[in-house]
PDB file of all heavy atoms in Angstrom:
ATOM      1  N   GLU A 169    -119.987  90.767 -36.544  1.00  0.00           N
ATOM      2  CA  GLU A 169    -120.675  92.039 -36.343  1.00  0.00           C
ATOM      3  C   GLU A 169    -119.809  92.992 -35.621  1.00  0.00           C
ATOM      4  O   GLU A 169    -119.725  94.174 -35.915  1.00  0.00           O
ATOM      5  CB  GLU A 169    -122.014  91.857 -35.511  1.00  0.00           C
ATOM      6  CG  GLU A 169    -122.845  93.126 -35.495  1.00  0.00           C
ATOM      7  CD  GLU A 169    -123.238  93.543 -36.892  1.00  0.00           C
ATOM      8  OE1 GLU A 169    -123.604  92.802 -37.797  1.00  0.00           O
ATOM      9  OE2 GLU A 169    -123.296  94.823 -37.065  1.00  0.00           O
ATOM     10  N   GLU A 170    -118.983  92.558 -34.669  1.00  0.00           N
ATOM     11  CA  GLU A 170    -117.972  93.384 -34.003  1.00  0.00           C
ATOM     12  C   GLU A 170    -116.943  93.913 -35.050  1.00  0.00           C
ATOM     13  O   GLU A 170    -116.613  95.111 -34.993  1.00  0.00           O
ATOM     14  CB  GLU A 170    -117.227  92.615 -32.959  1.00  0.00           C
ATOM     15  CG  GLU A 170    -116.283  93.467 -32.240  1.00  0.00           C
ATOM     16  CD  GLU A 170    -115.579  92.663 -30.973  1.00  0.00           C
ATOM     17  OE1 GLU A 170    -116.071  91.535 -30.699  1.00  0.00           O
ATOM     18  OE2 GLU A 170    -114.598  93.228 -30.494  1.00  0.00           O
ATOM     19  N   HIS A 171    -116.507  93.103 -35.960  1.00  0.00           N
ATOM     20  CA  HIS A 171    -115.548  93.576 -37.024  1.00  0.00           C
ATOM     21  C   HIS A 171    -116.223  94.594 -37.915  1.00  0.00           C
ATOM     22  O   HIS A 171    -115.616  95.634 -38.184  1.00  0.00           O
ATOM     23  CB  HIS A 171    -115.079  92.470 -37.869  1.00  0.00           C
ATOM     24  CG  HIS A 171    -114.364  91.369 -37.193  1.00  0.00           C
ATOM     25  ND1 HIS A 171    -114.623  90.067 -37.241  1.00  0.00           N
ATOM     26  CD2 HIS A 171    -113.247  91.478 -36.411  1.00  0.00           C
ATOM     27  CE1 HIS A 171    -113.810  89.307 -36.527  1.00  0.00           C
ATOM     28  NE2 HIS A 171    -112.975  90.199 -35.994  1.00  0.00           N
ATOM     29  N   ARG A 172    -117.453  94.446 -38.181  1.00  0.00           N
ATOM     30  CA  ARG A 172    -118.190  95.396 -38.950  1.00  0.00           C
ATOM     31  C   ARG A 172    -118.373  96.734 -38.261  1.00  0.00           C
ATOM     32  O   ARG A 172    -118.264  97.786 -38.823  1.00  0.00           O
ATOM     33  CB  ARG A 172    -119.523  94.841 -39.458  1.00  0.00           C
ATOM     34  CG  ARG A 172    -119.375  93.724 -40.531  1.00  0.00           C
ATOM     35  CD  ARG A 172    -120.670  93.227 -41.004  1.00  0.00           C
ATOM     36  NE  ARG A 172    -120.529  92.209 -42.042  1.00  0.00           N
ATOM     37  CZ  ARG A 172    -120.289  90.920 -41.747  1.00  0.00           C
ATOM     38  NH1 ARG A 172    -120.144  90.513 -40.549  1.00  0.00           N
ATOM     39  NH2 ARG A 172    -120.084  90.043 -42.746  1.00  0.00           N
ATOM     40  N   ARG A 173    -118.630  96.666 -36.946  1.00  0.00           N
ATOM     41  CA  ARG A 173    -118.816  97.936 -36.170  1.00  0.00           C
ATOM     42  C   ARG A 173    -117.461  98.618 -36.127  1.00  0.00           C
ATOM     43  O   ARG A 173    -117.438  99.863 -36.218  1.00  0.00           O
ATOM     44  CB  ARG A 173    -119.294  97.569 -34.853  1.00  0.00           C
ATOM     45  CG  ARG A 173    -120.755  97.292 -34.711  1.00  0.00           C
ATOM     46  CD  ARG A 173    -121.202  97.351 -33.230  1.00  0.00           C
ATOM     47  NE  ARG A 173    -120.670  96.320 -32.392  1.00  0.00           N
ATOM     48  CZ  ARG A 173    -121.073  95.018 -32.237  1.00  0.00           C
ATOM     49  NH1 ARG A 173    -122.165  94.667 -32.836  1.00  0.00           N
ATOM     50  NH2 ARG A 173    -120.418  94.266 -31.539  1.00  0.00           N
ATOM     51  N   THR A 174    -116.347  97.848 -35.991  1.00  0.00           N
ATOM     52  CA  THR A 174    -115.024  98.559 -36.037  1.00  0.00           C
ATOM     53  C   THR A 174    -114.833  99.270 -37.276  1.00  0.00           C
ATOM     54  O   THR A 174    -114.383 100.415 -37.349  1.00  0.00           O
ATOM     55  CB  THR A 174    -113.905  97.531 -35.773  1.00  0.00           C
ATOM     56  OG1 THR A 174    -114.081  96.903 -34.439  1.00  0.00           O
ATOM     57  CG2 THR A 174    -112.596  98.036 -35.792  1.00  0.00           C
ATOM     58  N   PHE A 175    -115.159  98.568 -38.437  1.00  0.00           N
ATOM     59  CA  PHE A 175    -114.970  99.261 -39.728  1.00  0.00           C
ATOM     60  C   PHE A 175    -115.939 100.421 -39.898  1.00  0.00           C
ATOM     61  O   PHE A 175    -115.472 101.478 -40.381  1.00  0.00           O
ATOM     62  CB  PHE A 175    -115.198  98.334 -40.834  1.00  0.00           C
ATOM     63  CG  PHE A 175    -115.115  98.966 -42.169  1.00  0.00           C
ATOM     64  CD1 PHE A 175    -113.953  99.356 -42.736  1.00  0.00           C
ATOM     65  CD2 PHE A 175    -116.350  99.262 -42.906  1.00  0.00           C
ATOM     66  CE1 PHE A 175    -113.846  99.969 -43.952  1.00  0.00           C
ATOM     67  CE2 PHE A 175    -116.288  99.934 -44.057  1.00  0.00           C
ATOM     68  CZ  PHE A 175    -114.979 100.302 -44.574  1.00  0.00           C
ATOM     69  N   GLU A 176    -117.188 100.251 -39.458  1.00  0.00           N
ATOM     70  CA  GLU A 176    -118.079 101.476 -39.577  1.00  0.00           C
ATOM     71  C   GLU A 176    -117.707 102.669 -38.704  1.00  0.00           C
ATOM     72  O   GLU A 176    -117.762 103.781 -39.181  1.00  0.00           O
ATOM     73  CB  GLU A 176    -119.515 100.987 -39.099  1.00  0.00           C
ATOM     74  CG  GLU A 176    -120.135 100.066 -40.122  1.00  0.00           C
ATOM     75  CD  GLU A 176    -120.331 100.718 -41.531  1.00  0.00           C
ATOM     76  OE1 GLU A 176    -120.665 101.814 -41.575  1.00  0.00           O
ATOM     77  OE2 GLU A 176    -120.239  99.906 -42.562  1.00  0.00           O
ATOM     78  N   ALA A 177    -117.131 102.331 -37.604  1.00  0.00           N
ATOM     79  CA  ALA A 177    -116.590 103.502 -36.771  1.00  0.00           C
ATOM     80  C   ALA A 177    -115.366 104.214 -37.419  1.00  0.00           C
ATOM     81  O   ALA A 177    -115.232 105.445 -37.403  1.00  0.00           O
ATOM     82  CB  ALA A 177    -116.179 103.035 -35.430  1.00  0.00           C
ATOM     83  N   PHE A 178    -114.491 103.347 -38.079  1.00  0.00           N
ATOM     84  CA  PHE A 178    -113.351 103.861 -38.823  1.00  0.00           C
ATOM     85  C   PHE A 178    -113.880 104.752 -40.012  1.00  0.00           C
ATOM     86  O   PHE A 178    -113.461 105.873 -40.173  1.00  0.00           O
ATOM     87  CB  PHE A 178    -112.567 102.679 -39.328  1.00  0.00           C
ATOM     88  CG  PHE A 178    -111.611 103.167 -40.460  1.00  0.00           C
ATOM     89  CD1 PHE A 178    -110.512 103.781 -40.171  1.00  0.00           C
ATOM     90  CD2 PHE A 178    -111.896 102.906 -41.816  1.00  0.00           C
ATOM     91  CE1 PHE A 178    -109.565 104.221 -41.135  1.00  0.00           C
ATOM     92  CE2 PHE A 178    -111.094 103.248 -42.800  1.00  0.00           C
ATOM     93  CZ  PHE A 178    -109.967 103.970 -42.436  1.00  0.00           C
ATOM     94  N   LYS A 179    -114.857 104.231 -40.704  1.00  0.00           N
ATOM     95  CA  LYS A 179    -115.463 104.914 -41.895  1.00  0.00           C
ATOM     96  C   LYS A 179    -116.101 106.268 -41.488  1.00  0.00           C
ATOM     97  O   LYS A 179    -115.789 107.243 -42.202  1.00  0.00           O
ATOM     98  CB  LYS A 179    -116.422 104.090 -42.672  1.00  0.00           C
ATOM     99  CG  LYS A 179    -116.895 104.629 -43.934  1.00  0.00           C
ATOM    100  CD  LYS A 179    -117.720 103.694 -44.736  1.00  0.00           C
ATOM    101  CE  LYS A 179    -119.049 103.532 -44.263  1.00  0.00           C
ATOM    102  NZ  LYS A 179    -119.911 102.786 -45.081  1.00  0.00           N
ATOM    103  N   ALA A 180    -116.794 106.274 -40.397  1.00  0.00           N
ATOM    104  CA  ALA A 180    -117.394 107.481 -39.872  1.00  0.00           C
ATOM    105  C   ALA A 180    -116.353 108.514 -39.441  1.00  0.00           C
ATOM    106  O   ALA A 180    -116.480 109.725 -39.856  1.00  0.00           O
ATOM    107  CB  ALA A 180    -118.341 107.154 -38.721  1.00  0.00           C
ATOM    108  N   ALA A 181    -115.314 108.115 -38.830  1.00  0.00           N
ATOM    109  CA  ALA A 181    -114.175 108.993 -38.493  1.00  0.00           C
ATOM    110  C   ALA A 181    -113.473 109.469 -39.690  1.00  0.00           C
ATOM    111  O   ALA A 181    -113.220 110.678 -39.740  1.00  0.00           O
ATOM    112  CB  ALA A 181    -113.154 108.210 -37.596  1.00  0.00           C
ATOM    113  N   LEU A 182    -113.378 108.721 -40.712  1.00  0.00           N
ATOM    114  CA  LEU A 182    -112.769 109.131 -42.017  1.00  0.00           C
ATOM    115  C   LEU A 182    -113.643 110.156 -42.569  1.00  0.00           C
ATOM    116  O   LEU A 182    -113.146 111.243 -43.105  1.00  0.00           O
ATOM    117  CB  LEU A 182    -112.470 107.905 -42.902  1.00  0.00           C
ATOM    118  CG  LEU A 182    -111.834 108.080 -44.201  1.00  0.00           C
ATOM    119  CD1 LEU A 182    -110.298 108.551 -43.980  1.00  0.00           C
ATOM    120  CD2 LEU A 182    -111.774 106.836 -44.969  1.00  0.00           C
ATOM    121  N   ASN A 183    -114.935 109.922 -42.693  1.00  0.00           N
ATOM    122  CA  ASN A 183    -115.899 110.904 -43.286  1.00  0.00           C
ATOM    123  C   ASN A 183    -115.964 112.116 -42.519  1.00  0.00           C
ATOM    124  O   ASN A 183    -116.194 113.174 -43.115  1.00  0.00           O
ATOM    125  CB  ASN A 183    -117.275 110.246 -43.347  1.00  0.00           C
ATOM    126  CG  ASN A 183    -117.388 109.219 -44.530  1.00  0.00           C
ATOM    127  OD1 ASN A 183    -116.662 109.272 -45.436  1.00  0.00           O
ATOM    128  ND2 ASN A 183    -118.208 108.253 -44.372  1.00  0.00           N
ATOM    129  N   ARG A 184    -115.683 112.126 -41.171  1.00  0.00           N
ATOM    130  CA  ARG A 184    -115.779 113.353 -40.356  1.00  0.00           C
ATOM    131  C   ARG A 184    -114.407 114.164 -40.446  1.00  0.00           C
ATOM    132  O   ARG A 184    -114.239 115.216 -39.998  1.00  0.00           O
ATOM    133  CB  ARG A 184    -115.991 113.049 -38.926  1.00  0.00           C
ATOM    134  CG  ARG A 184    -117.463 112.659 -38.595  1.00  0.00           C
ATOM    135  CD  ARG A 184    -117.733 112.538 -37.150  1.00  0.00           C
ATOM    136  NE  ARG A 184    -116.827 111.649 -36.462  1.00  0.00           N
ATOM    137  CZ  ARG A 184    -117.061 110.362 -36.227  1.00  0.00           C
ATOM    138  NH1 ARG A 184    -118.199 109.763 -36.652  1.00  0.00           N
ATOM    139  NH2 ARG A 184    -116.281 109.616 -35.615  1.00  0.00           N
ATOM    140  N   GLY A 185    -113.491 113.470 -41.133  1.00  0.00           N
ATOM    141  CA  GLY A 185    -112.084 114.081 -41.245  1.00  0.00           C
ATOM    142  C   GLY A 185    -111.236 114.039 -39.986  1.00  0.00           C
ATOM    143  O   GLY A 185    -110.183 114.601 -39.875  1.00  0.00           O
ATOM    144  N   GLU A 186    -111.650 113.065 -39.095  1.00  0.00           N
ATOM    145  CA  GLU A 186    -110.892 112.795 -37.870  1.00  0.00           C
ATOM    146  C   GLU A 186    -109.610 112.008 -38.151  1.00  0.00           C
ATOM    147  O   GLU A 186    -108.613 112.074 -37.448  1.00  0.00           O
ATOM    148  CB  GLU A 186    -111.683 112.189 -36.815  1.00  0.00           C
ATOM    149  CG  GLU A 186    -112.841 113.070 -36.311  1.00  0.00           C
ATOM    150  CD  GLU A 186    -113.839 112.244 -35.463  1.00  0.00           C
ATOM    151  OE1 GLU A 186    -113.635 111.133 -35.181  1.00  0.00           O
ATOM    152  OE2 GLU A 186    -114.778 112.923 -35.095  1.00  0.00           O
ATOM    153  N   VAL A 187    -109.668 111.185 -39.164  1.00  0.00           N
ATOM    154  CA  VAL A 187    -108.476 110.438 -39.662  1.00  0.00           C
ATOM    155  C   VAL A 187    -108.346 110.851 -41.137  1.00  0.00           C
ATOM    156  O   VAL A 187    -109.315 111.035 -41.841  1.00  0.00           O
ATOM    157  CB  VAL A 187    -108.609 108.931 -39.358  1.00  0.00           C
ATOM    158  CG1 VAL A 187    -108.655 108.594 -37.952  1.00  0.00           C
ATOM    159  CG2 VAL A 187    -109.796 108.325 -40.116  1.00  0.00           C
ATOM    160  N   ARG A 188    -107.074 110.742 -41.614  1.00  0.00           N
ATOM    161  CA  ARG A 188    -106.771 111.094 -43.003  1.00  0.00           C
ATOM    162  C   ARG A 188    -105.815 110.052 -43.492  1.00  0.00           C
ATOM    163  O   ARG A 188    -104.883 109.647 -42.810  1.00  0.00           O
ATOM    164  CB  ARG A 188    -106.200 112.496 -43.056  1.00  0.00           C
ATOM    165  CG  ARG A 188    -107.186 113.557 -42.535  1.00  0.00           C
ATOM    166  CD  ARG A 188    -106.590 114.910 -42.690  1.00  0.00           C
ATOM    167  NE  ARG A 188    -106.307 115.265 -44.067  1.00  0.00           N
ATOM    168  CZ  ARG A 188    -105.722 116.442 -44.365  1.00  0.00           C
ATOM    169  NH1 ARG A 188    -105.420 117.356 -43.526  1.00  0.00           N
ATOM    170  NH2 ARG A 188    -105.536 116.693 -45.652  1.00  0.00           N
ATOM    171  N   ALA A 189    -105.952 109.774 -44.750  1.00  0.00           N
ATOM    172  CA  ALA A 189    -105.053 108.894 -45.445  1.00  0.00           C
ATOM    173  C   ALA A 189    -103.617 109.480 -45.649  1.00  0.00           C
ATOM    174  O   ALA A 189    -102.645 108.766 -45.605  1.00  0.00           O
ATOM    175  CB  ALA A 189    -105.600 108.423 -46.788  1.00  0.00           C
ATOM    176  N   ALA A 190    -103.596 110.729 -45.675  1.00  0.00           N
ATOM    177  CA  ALA A 190    -102.335 111.450 -45.802  1.00  0.00           C
ATOM    178  C   ALA A 190    -102.503 112.827 -45.168  1.00  0.00           C
ATOM    179  O   ALA A 190    -103.537 113.373 -45.174  1.00  0.00           O
ATOM    180  CB  ALA A 190    -101.838 111.619 -47.237  1.00  0.00           C
ATOM    181  N   GLU A 191    -101.354 113.294 -44.636  1.00  0.00           N
ATOM    182  CA  GLU A 191    -101.309 114.576 -43.947  1.00  0.00           C
ATOM    183  C   GLU A 191    -100.098 115.371 -44.369  1.00  0.00           C
ATOM    184  O   GLU A 191     -99.087 114.748 -44.698  1.00  0.00           O
ATOM    185  CB  GLU A 191    -101.280 114.365 -42.415  1.00  0.00           C
ATOM    186  CG  GLU A 191    -102.506 113.606 -41.897  1.00  0.00           C
ATOM    187  CD  GLU A 191    -102.348 113.376 -40.382  1.00  0.00           C
ATOM    188  OE1 GLU A 191    -102.404 114.480 -39.688  1.00  0.00           O
ATOM    189  OE2 GLU A 191    -102.212 112.293 -39.954  1.00  0.00           O
ATOM    190  N   PRO A 192    -100.332 116.668 -44.338  1.00  0.00           N
ATOM    191  CA  PRO A 192     -99.140 117.506 -44.654  1.00  0.00           C
ATOM    192  C   PRO A 192     -97.971 117.256 -43.717  1.00  0.00           C
ATOM    193  O   PRO A 192     -98.283 117.134 -42.500  1.00  0.00           O
ATOM    194  CB  PRO A 192     -99.663 118.940 -44.586  1.00  0.00           C
ATOM    195  CG  PRO A 192    -101.133 118.831 -44.647  1.00  0.00           C
ATOM    196  CD  PRO A 192    -101.487 117.497 -44.125  1.00  0.00           C
ATOM    197  N   ASP A 193     -96.720 117.211 -44.195  1.00  0.00           N
ATOM    198  CA  ASP A 193     -95.609 117.005 -43.359  1.00  0.00           C
ATOM    199  C   ASP A 193     -94.381 117.760 -43.940  1.00  0.00           C
ATOM    200  O   ASP A 193     -93.880 117.313 -44.954  1.00  0.00           O
ATOM    201  CB  ASP A 193     -95.305 115.538 -43.240  1.00  0.00           C
ATOM    202  CG  ASP A 193     -94.157 115.122 -42.354  1.00  0.00           C
ATOM    203  OD1 ASP A 193     -93.574 116.067 -41.826  1.00  0.00           O
ATOM    204  OD2 ASP A 193     -93.853 113.954 -42.193  1.00  0.00           O
ATOM    205  N   ALA A 194     -94.119 118.816 -43.375  1.00  0.00           N
ATOM    206  CA  ALA A 194     -93.110 119.698 -43.907  1.00  0.00           C
ATOM    207  C   ALA A 194     -91.635 118.975 -43.879  1.00  0.00           C
ATOM    208  O   ALA A 194     -90.772 119.265 -44.745  1.00  0.00           O
ATOM    209  CB  ALA A 194     -92.886 121.012 -43.116  1.00  0.00           C
ATOM    210  N   ALA A 195     -91.514 117.992 -43.042  1.00  0.00           N
ATOM    211  CA  ALA A 195     -90.221 117.295 -42.949  1.00  0.00           C
ATOM    212  C   ALA A 195     -90.052 116.168 -44.018  1.00  0.00           C
ATOM    213  O   ALA A 195     -88.924 115.738 -44.356  1.00  0.00           O
ATOM    214  CB  ALA A 195     -90.121 116.536 -41.558  1.00  0.00           C
ATOM    215  N   SER A 196     -91.146 115.944 -44.727  1.00  0.00           N
ATOM    216  CA  SER A 196     -91.111 114.920 -45.766  1.00  0.00           C
ATOM    217  C   SER A 196     -90.675 115.565 -47.121  1.00  0.00           C
ATOM    218  O   SER A 196     -90.968 116.656 -47.421  1.00  0.00           O
ATOM    219  CB  SER A 196     -92.502 114.307 -45.957  1.00  0.00           C
ATOM    220  OG  SER A 196     -92.575 113.523 -47.147  1.00  0.00           O
ATOM    221  N   LYS A 197     -89.980 114.776 -47.899  1.00  0.00           N
ATOM    222  CA  LYS A 197     -89.496 115.262 -49.291  1.00  0.00           C
ATOM    223  C   LYS A 197     -90.672 115.740 -50.155  1.00  0.00           C
ATOM    224  O   LYS A 197     -90.600 116.609 -50.788  1.00  0.00           O
ATOM    225  CB  LYS A 197     -88.655 114.156 -49.902  1.00  0.00           C
ATOM    226  CG  LYS A 197     -88.078 114.508 -51.242  1.00  0.00           C
ATOM    227  CD  LYS A 197     -87.002 113.540 -51.694  1.00  0.00           C
ATOM    228  CE  LYS A 197     -87.645 112.161 -52.035  1.00  0.00           C
ATOM    229  NZ  LYS A 197     -86.787 111.253 -52.749  1.00  0.00           N
ATOM    230  N   THR A 198     -91.809 115.006 -50.000  1.00  0.00           N
ATOM    231  CA  THR A 198     -92.963 115.319 -50.886  1.00  0.00           C
ATOM    232  C   THR A 198     -93.824 116.355 -50.175  1.00  0.00           C
ATOM    233  O   THR A 198     -94.786 116.841 -50.880  1.00  0.00           O
ATOM    234  CB  THR A 198     -93.784 114.017 -51.164  1.00  0.00           C
ATOM    235  OG1 THR A 198     -94.306 113.532 -49.867  1.00  0.00           O
ATOM    236  CG2 THR A 198     -92.963 112.954 -51.836  1.00  0.00           C
ATOM    237  N   GLY A 199     -93.696 116.608 -48.878  1.00  0.00           N
ATOM    238  CA  GLY A 199     -94.520 117.490 -48.211  1.00  0.00           C
ATOM    239  C   GLY A 199     -95.759 116.763 -47.547  1.00  0.00           C
ATOM    240  O   GLY A 199     -96.548 117.379 -47.006  1.00  0.00           O
ATOM    241  N   TRP A 200     -95.842 115.486 -47.779  1.00  0.00           N
ATOM    242  CA  TRP A 200     -96.999 114.694 -47.212  1.00  0.00           C
ATOM    243  C   TRP A 200     -96.411 113.445 -46.487  1.00  0.00           C
ATOM    244  O   TRP A 200     -95.471 112.942 -46.835  1.00  0.00           O
ATOM    245  CB  TRP A 200     -97.877 114.295 -48.311  1.00  0.00           C
ATOM    246  CG  TRP A 200     -98.545 115.434 -48.946  1.00  0.00           C
ATOM    247  CD1 TRP A 200     -98.133 116.257 -49.948  1.00  0.00           C
ATOM    248  CD2 TRP A 200     -99.879 115.830 -48.510  1.00  0.00           C
ATOM    249  NE1 TRP A 200     -99.184 117.109 -50.210  1.00  0.00           N
ATOM    250  CE2 TRP A 200    -100.163 117.049 -49.381  1.00  0.00           C
ATOM    251  CE3 TRP A 200    -100.814 115.483 -47.507  1.00  0.00           C
ATOM    252  CZ2 TRP A 200    -101.348 117.706 -49.250  1.00  0.00           C
ATOM    253  CZ3 TRP A 200    -101.971 116.260 -47.464  1.00  0.00           C
ATOM    254  CH2 TRP A 200    -102.246 117.320 -48.248  1.00  0.00           C
ATOM    255  N   ARG A 201     -97.194 113.022 -45.566  1.00  0.00           N
ATOM    256  CA  ARG A 201     -96.978 111.804 -44.845  1.00  0.00           C
ATOM    257  C   ARG A 201     -98.177 110.817 -44.957  1.00  0.00           C
ATOM    258  O   ARG A 201     -99.269 111.226 -44.664  1.00  0.00           O
ATOM    259  CB  ARG A 201     -96.732 112.008 -43.345  1.00  0.00           C
ATOM    260  CG  ARG A 201     -96.549 110.874 -42.461  1.00  0.00           C
ATOM    261  CD  ARG A 201     -96.302 111.151 -41.008  1.00  0.00           C
ATOM    262  NE  ARG A 201     -97.075 112.233 -40.423  1.00  0.00           N
ATOM    263  CZ  ARG A 201     -98.247 112.124 -39.839  1.00  0.00           C
ATOM    264  NH1 ARG A 201     -98.757 110.942 -39.600  1.00  0.00           N
ATOM    265  NH2 ARG A 201     -98.907 113.116 -39.382  1.00  0.00           N
ATOM    266  N   VAL A 202     -97.966 109.614 -45.407  1.00  0.00           N
ATOM    267  CA  VAL A 202     -99.002 108.645 -45.549  1.00  0.00           C
ATOM    268  C   VAL A 202     -99.303 107.972 -44.223  1.00  0.00           C
ATOM    269  O   VAL A 202     -98.310 107.524 -43.545  1.00  0.00           O
ATOM    270  CB  VAL A 202     -98.678 107.662 -46.602  1.00  0.00           C
ATOM    271  CG1 VAL A 202     -99.779 106.532 -46.721  1.00  0.00           C
ATOM    272  CG2 VAL A 202     -98.476 108.230 -47.920  1.00  0.00           C
ATOM    273  N   ASN A 203    -100.613 107.833 -43.874  1.00  0.00           N
ATOM    274  CA  ASN A 203    -100.937 107.065 -42.745  1.00  0.00           C
ATOM    275  C   ASN A 203    -101.288 105.619 -43.173  1.00  0.00           C
ATOM    276  O   ASN A 203    -102.527 105.473 -43.561  1.00  0.00           O
ATOM    277  CB  ASN A 203    -102.164 107.814 -41.988  1.00  0.00           C
ATOM    278  CG  ASN A 203    -101.757 109.028 -41.424  1.00  0.00           C
ATOM    279  OD1 ASN A 203    -100.586 109.216 -40.901  1.00  0.00           O
ATOM    280  ND2 ASN A 203    -102.518 110.070 -41.568  1.00  0.00           N
ATOM    281  N   ALA A 204    -100.387 104.750 -43.043  1.00  0.00           N
ATOM    282  CA  ALA A 204    -100.517 103.421 -43.694  1.00  0.00           C
ATOM    283  C   ALA A 204    -101.731 102.665 -43.059  1.00  0.00           C
ATOM    284  O   ALA A 204    -102.472 101.953 -43.669  1.00  0.00           O
ATOM    285  CB  ALA A 204     -99.248 102.643 -43.474  1.00  0.00           C
ATOM    286  N   TRP A 205    -102.021 102.887 -41.727  1.00  0.00           N
ATOM    287  CA  TRP A 205    -103.089 102.163 -41.067  1.00  0.00           C
ATOM    288  C   TRP A 205    -104.453 102.679 -41.723  1.00  0.00           C
ATOM    289  O   TRP A 205    -105.364 101.833 -41.812  1.00  0.00           O
ATOM    290  CB  TRP A 205    -103.036 102.328 -39.515  1.00  0.00           C
ATOM    291  CG  TRP A 205    -103.464 103.654 -39.021  1.00  0.00           C
ATOM    292  CD1 TRP A 205    -102.705 104.841 -38.896  1.00  0.00           C
ATOM    293  CD2 TRP A 205    -104.752 104.085 -38.692  1.00  0.00           C
ATOM    294  NE1 TRP A 205    -103.517 105.834 -38.466  1.00  0.00           N
ATOM    295  CE2 TRP A 205    -104.859 105.425 -38.274  1.00  0.00           C
ATOM    296  CE3 TRP A 205    -106.016 103.390 -38.540  1.00  0.00           C
ATOM    297  CZ2 TRP A 205    -105.971 106.111 -37.772  1.00  0.00           C
ATOM    298  CZ3 TRP A 205    -107.106 104.050 -38.137  1.00  0.00           C
ATOM    299  CH2 TRP A 205    -107.065 105.389 -37.780  1.00  0.00           C
ATOM    300  N   VAL A 206    -104.502 103.872 -42.081  1.00  0.00           N
ATOM    301  CA  VAL A 206    -105.702 104.355 -42.680  1.00  0.00           C
ATOM    302  C   VAL A 206    -105.895 103.773 -44.013  1.00  0.00           C
ATOM    303  O   VAL A 206    -107.070 103.380 -44.380  1.00  0.00           O
ATOM    304  CB  VAL A 206    -105.779 105.975 -42.733  1.00  0.00           C
ATOM    305  CG1 VAL A 206    -106.973 106.459 -43.497  1.00  0.00           C
ATOM    306  CG2 VAL A 206    -105.655 106.538 -41.390  1.00  0.00           C
TER     307      VAL A 206
END
């Protein structure tokens, strides 16, 4: 249940836009930086 709560908190933060799978990054060749942990 603790693992599920951790995931649910992550999912809620993702849905609120507090964490993102990728973010703009001007220093990157593509202009984006992937957040591997997300």
Side-chain angles (χ1 to χ4, degrees):
E169 190 58 36
E170 183 179 345
H171 295 131
R172 287 182 181 83
R173 281 193 301 270
T174 297
F175 175 74
E176 288 300 322
F178 163 78
K179 187 169 76 169
L182 188 63
N183 287 334
R184 288 189 303 267
E186 295 171 4
V187 296
R188 297 179 63 182
E191 299 179 64
D193 182 358
S196 170
K197 184 168 62 170
T198 64
W200 290 88
R201 174 178 43 93
V202 174
N203 294 320
W205 76 272
V206 176

